[in-house]
Amino acid sequence: MLSTMLTIGYIRVASSGKCPDQKVQAQAQAIRDRAAGERAELELITDTGESGMNMNRPGLQRMLSLIAGGNVKWVLVTSFDRLTRSHEDFARLLERLDLHGVALVSIDESFDSRSCAGRLFMNIMAGLGKSRQ
């Protein structure tokens, strides 16, 4: 049986922000619009009230589990800081995505790891992450 490769739309809204429901909806709509252009099967995963400095978020952990299971084609976010606010964690996350052949697309940064420039950026970030270990 063939499994369908998913696009994960990851949404995070911090605990200290105003109008979290509106922020979740705004991110979700931007992600849906971008995914529709790719005709991707989208699963939205949301962490509400969670800090970007903590990698132990239920939604993020679910996303990482799906990636480890080999069911994810790409991860779509509105901004890098929705994933994490730590450079070290970001570098480790990029390394994990690359290990599983998962692309990362960020709407606000106009970043797509499937492009040549995106691959270069991922390699630089991975190198920076290793140099800080």
Side-chain angles (χ1 to χ4, degrees):
M1 174 171 62
L2 293 174
S3 63
T4 303
M5 295 297 283
L6 292 173
T7 293
I8 299 296
Y10 180 75
I11 298 166
R12 183 184 62 79
V13 176
S15 55
S16 62
K18 295 180 183 178
C19 307
D21 290 339
Q22 289 176 344
K23 290 181 179 182
V24 166
Q25 291 306 314
Q27 287 181 54
Q29 190 58 54
I31 288 170
R32 279 189 201 100
D33 290 347
R34 180 66 167 82
E38 300 271 344
R39 297 183 181 172
E41 182 175 335
L42 179 65
E43 180 175 331
L44 291 175
I45 296 177
T46 304
D47 278 318
T48 303
E50 299 285 345
S51 169
M53 293 302 290
N54 175 8
M55 294 292 283
N56 280 333
R57 292 174 257 146
L60 183 65
Q61 293 304 310
R62 172 161 166 61
M63 180 186 83
L64 294 174
S65 176
L66 288 169
I67 289 168
N71 299 322
V72 179
K73 183 177 179 181
W74 52 298
V75 172
L76 180 57
V77 294
T78 55
S79 178
F80 290 143
D81 67 1
R82 300 300 85 203
L83 290 169
T84 181
R85 291 193 175 268
S86 161
H87 290 108
E88 291 82 13
D89 287 341
F90 185 66
R92 282 192 290 273
L93 186 57
L94 289 176
E95 201 171 279
R96 186 178 284 185
L97 294 174
D98 193 45
L99 175 69
H100 293 285
V102 176
L104 174 64
V105 175
S106 174
I107 297 167
D108 291 351
E109 286 90 2
S110 297
F111 174 82
D112 186 337
S113 69
R114 299 170 295 182
S115 71
C116 291
R119 296 296 314 151
L120 175 62
F121 176 78
M122 285 186 74
N123 288 331
I124 291 169
M125 287 303 294
L128 288 174
K130 287 180 181 178
S131 72
R132 293 181 181 219
Q133 291 178 349

